[in-house]
């Protein structure tokens, strides 16, 4: 009997030892230590929900391009290093690479609608002003607001639903413009309808949040480049990051050769002209311009790189909000700007508005000291006259035409200007 028990104990001990060996072999860290010759596993890219801003949804922009990030079909330039670390989260924009087939890659811009610091400050403002706490569920807090409750009940996006929002695009809204936003909102399946029936509660909050923080991605969606509008292509959003086609800011070309500067100046004038006169009868104007407002594609084509400071007046319908109604303010009016900021009156915008800004801020830096006399003197004289405000609105088109005539002979026709080459060889237009 004792021999049988001893034999049984021996077998149990053997079984326990076998289980222990198997357990050790299944532990990755132990296996790696015990077997230094194990094959090297390629490190995987790691995203935090905080970096993308997904932890803030549905107080975010959207999720249409998240799969691209997680499948590594969108990569930051810093990922080309061996460390594969994400770039710092405090940056406003990043250079990235985008692919549809994992073979060919193209450059993209990955941007935040505002700095992470401003986002964090706005998030705290939501919690402290609405719930009187330092932290909270942003979505729950915003859903309780009077404005969003009106959005939930609304069948159509109407001017009263956007009154008081800080976006220049919505300071003088028309029903036609708001219908276009709903019909072309790219973060939801395309319904082609002016009614918001196809938008879920989540979709409505994301649209309202985006319009409140920065209307740049909405402008890219409703006026797409494929229809000839001067904006980079919108590729999608994930959390609080927006992905669009890549452009180099105009500031990179301030030291460019004279013929390149002349070409970009002519394109800039053409963009301003199209903003005032287009088939849809919308009048676009800037409330601010700087060296990052415009960008240039690799083919030399100039586009509006940052549309956040772009206002729109509907010349066909006119504004459906009188200036007094614009003074209505709530938490959505204050997410990125001082709540005390005064709105620009719709009636105060003139046709020369954007041209004067560009003559003051951009064209002198692009064209200064680039050409021989007396051409340079003529350009400088015109820019000074333009920067001073021009005499009247009727002189705007003549002034633009006058500067264009000076600049046209100064540009060249070669492969550096791929957007118009070799067409320029066979056309009198160039």
């Amino acid at each position: 009997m004792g021999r049988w028990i001893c034999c049984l104990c021996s077998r149990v001990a053997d079984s326990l030892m076998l289980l222990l060996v198997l357990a050790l072999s299944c532990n990755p860290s132990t296996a790696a230590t015990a077997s230094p010759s194990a094959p090297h596993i390629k490190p995987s890219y790691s995203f935090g929900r905080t970096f993308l801003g997904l932890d803030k949804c549905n107080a975010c922009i959207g999720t249409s391009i998240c799969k691209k990030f997680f499948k590594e079909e969108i990569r930051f330039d810093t990922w080309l290093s061996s460390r594969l670390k994400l770039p710092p989260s405090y940056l406003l924009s990043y250079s990235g690479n985008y692919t549809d087939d994992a073979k060919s890659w193209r450059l993209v811009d990955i941007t935040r609608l505002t700095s992470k610091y401003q986002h964090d400050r706005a998030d705290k403002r939501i919690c402290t002003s609405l719930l009187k706490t330092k932290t909270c569920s942003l979505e729950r807090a915003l859903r309780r607001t009077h404005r969003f409750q009106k959005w939930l009940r609304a069948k159509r996006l109407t001017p009263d639903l956007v009154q008081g929002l800080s976006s220049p695009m919505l300071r003088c809204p028309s029903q036609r413009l708001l219908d276009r936003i709903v019909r072309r909102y790219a973060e939801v399946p395309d319904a082609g309808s002016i009614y918001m029936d196809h938008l879920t509660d989540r979709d409505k909050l994301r649209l309202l949040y985006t319009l409140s923080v920065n209307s740049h991605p909405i402008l890219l969606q409703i006026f797409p480049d494929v229809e000839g509008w001067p904006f980079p292509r919108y590729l999608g959003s994930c959390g609080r990051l927006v992905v669009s086609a890549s452009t180099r800011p105009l500031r990179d070309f301030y030291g460019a050769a004279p013929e390149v500067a002349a070409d970009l100046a002519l394109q800039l004038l053409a963009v301003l002209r199209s903003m005032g006169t287009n088939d849809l009868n919308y009048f676009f104007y800037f409330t601010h311009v700087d060296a990052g407002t415009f960008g240039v594609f690799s083919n030399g084509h100039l586009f509006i790189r940052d549309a956040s400071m772009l206002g729109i007046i509907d010349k066909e319908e006119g504004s459906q909000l009188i200036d007094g109604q614009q003074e209505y303010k709530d938490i959505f009016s204050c997410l990125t700007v001082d709540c005390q900021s005064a709105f620009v009156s719709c009636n105060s915008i003139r046709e020369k508005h954007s041209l004067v800004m560009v003559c003051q801020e951009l064209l002198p830096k692009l064209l200064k000291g680039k050409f021989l006399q007396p051409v340079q003197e003529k350009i400088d004289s015109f820019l000074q006259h333009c920067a001073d405000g021009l005499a009247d609105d009727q002189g705007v088109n003549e002034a633009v035409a006058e500067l264009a005539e000076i600049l046209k002979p100064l540009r060249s026709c070669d492969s550096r200007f791929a957007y118009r080459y070799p067409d320029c060889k066979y056309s009198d237009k160039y």
Side-chain angles (χ1 to χ4, degrees):
M1 181 72 176
R3 185 183 301 172
W4 181 81
I5 292 175
C6 182
C7 181
L8 179 62
C9 289
S10 176
R11 288 182 179 177
V12 170
D14 289 345
S15 298
L16 289 172
M17 183 60 73
L18 178 60
L19 288 172
L20 180 61
V21 170
L22 288 173
L24 287 172
S25 66
C26 290
N27 188 313
S29 60
T30 308
T33 304
S35 178
S37 60
H40 175 69
I41 300 174
K42 179 185 175 183
S44 179
Y45 303 127
S46 176
F47 272 111
R49 290 171 60 81
T50 302
F51 180 85
L52 293 170
L54 281 171
D55 59 324
K56 307 294 186 179
C57 284
N58 291 303
C60 63
I61 312 165
T63 56
S64 61
I65 209 165
C66 286
K67 286 183 179 179
K68 286 279 187 182
F69 278 105
F70 290 115
K71 289 168 65 178
E72 301 173 21
E73 293 176 347
I74 295 178
R75 299 184 178 185
F76 293 89
D77 275 355
T78 53
W79 284 5
L80 301 179
S81 68
S82 58
R83 291 181 174 272
L84 301 175
K85 286 185 178 180
L86 288 172
S89 60
Y90 58 79
L91 296 178
L92 190 59
S93 63
Y94 311 88
S95 179
N97 298 278
Y98 175 101
T99 186
D100 287 317
D101 55 15
K103 295 177 182 177
S104 57
W105 294 80
R106 52 192 164 118
L107 289 175
V108 292
D109 289 332
I110 305 168
T111 55
R112 301 183 188 278
L113 296 192
T114 186
S115 70
K116 190 174 185 302
Y117 167 75
Q118 288 175 302
H119 268 312
D120 292 343
R121 192 173 69 166
D123 293 344
K124 288 180 182 177
R125 185 181 293 151
I126 292 171
C127 294
T128 54
S129 64
L130 297 179
L131 298 182
K132 311 303 180 186
T133 60
K134 290 184 178 180
T135 58
C136 68
S137 165
L138 300 177
E139 179 174 359
R140 190 176 299 119
L142 293 176
R143 286 178 68 92
R144 292 180 180 181
T145 60
H146 175 67
R147 187 192 294 266
F148 187 65
Q149 289 301 312
K150 286 180 66 177
W151 273 62
L152 289 179
R153 296 190 296 269
K155 290 289 185 182
R156 192 174 182 183
L157 185 59
T158 50
D160 62 297
L161 296 178
V162 299
Q163 65 177 318
L165 296 185
S166 62
S167 167
M169 182 181 77
L170 299 172
R171 288 181 186 173
C172 313
S174 69
Q175 188 59 58
R176 188 169 69 114
L177 176 64
L178 297 179
D179 288 343
R180 190 175 181 88
I181 291 174
V182 173
R183 197 170 61 246
R184 295 187 168 219
Y185 182 42
E187 288 297 312
V188 298
D190 181 17
S193 171
I194 62 174
Y195 297 102
M196 296 197 289
D197 298 335
H198 62 294
L199 270 63
T200 64
D201 294 357
R202 175 200 66 194
D203 299 328
K204 289 182 179 180
L205 181 56
R206 290 179 181 176
L207 177 57
L208 173 56
Y209 180 84
T210 307
L211 290 172
S212 302
V213 174
N214 188 326
S215 58
H216 170 76
I218 303 299
L219 272 159
L220 269 55
Q221 294 168 42
I222 67 176
F223 297 109
D225 66 309
V226 292
E227 294 180 4
W229 297 98
F231 302 108
R233 180 165 302 181
Y234 176 81
L235 297 172
S237 300
C238 183
R240 289 180 170 179
L241 292 180
V242 179
V243 183
S244 59
S246 177
T247 59
R248 289 176 60 193
L250 187 63
R251 70 170 68 91
D252 289 359
F253 296 86
Y254 283 167
E259 61 272 20
V260 174
D263 182 81
L264 292 175
L266 277 166
Q267 288 192 70
L268 192 47
L269 294 175
V271 167
L272 294 181
R273 191 160 49 245
S274 69
M275 289 167 58
T277 307
N278 52 73
D279 292 342
L280 292 186
N281 246 349
Y282 288 116
F283 172 61
F284 297 80
Y285 66 93
F286 285 104
T287 57
H288 171 80
V289 295
D290 57 38
T293 302
F294 295 89
V296 183
F297 284 118
S298 57
N299 65 357
H301 207 170
L302 181 137
F303 277 64
I304 297 173
R305 188 172 191 256
D306 180 4
S308 61
M309 292 292 104
L310 205 57
I312 303 177
I313 294 176
D314 191 335
K315 294 197 292 185
E316 189 170 300
E317 285 190 4
S319 170
Q320 295 192 18
L321 275 184
I322 61 174
D323 290 336
Q325 289 178 291
Q326 293 180 341
E327 297 304 318
Y328 172 87
K329 290 176 181 176
D330 62 0
I331 188 64
F332 290 101
S333 311
C334 313
L335 290 182
T336 57
V337 297
D338 180 3
C339 283
Q340 304 307 314
S341 299
F343 287 116
V344 176
S345 169
C346 300
N347 296 325
S348 68
I349 306 300
R350 295 288 178 263
E351 188 177 351
K352 65 183 180 181
H353 190 86
S354 296
L355 178 63
V356 170
M357 280 187 175
V358 167
C359 287
Q360 291 172 342
E361 300 294 331
L362 304 181
L363 287 178
K365 296 171 184 175
L366 185 63
L367 300 175
K368 184 178 179 180
K370 289 289 173 66
F371 310 100
L372 298 174
Q373 300 297 357
V375 173
Q376 186 69 55
E377 186 177 352
K378 288 182 180 178
I379 292 174
D380 294 342
S381 174
F382 169 86
L383 293 179
Q384 186 59 54
H385 176 55
C386 175
D388 289 340
L390 296 174
D392 53 61
D393 284 355
Q394 291 185 347
V396 172
N397 290 331
E398 287 131 5
V400 170
E402 180 185 339
L403 180 58
E405 287 304 312
I406 298 173
L407 293 172
K408 280 180 183 178
L410 302 176
R411 62 179 179 172
S412 62
C413 177
D414 58 62
S415 57
R416 286 177 299 171
F417 311 100
Y419 79 96
R420 59 181 174 87
Y421 180 83
D423 294 349
C424 55
K425 276 190 171 184
Y426 311 105
S427 172
D428 294 336
K429 185 174 72 170
Y430 295 105

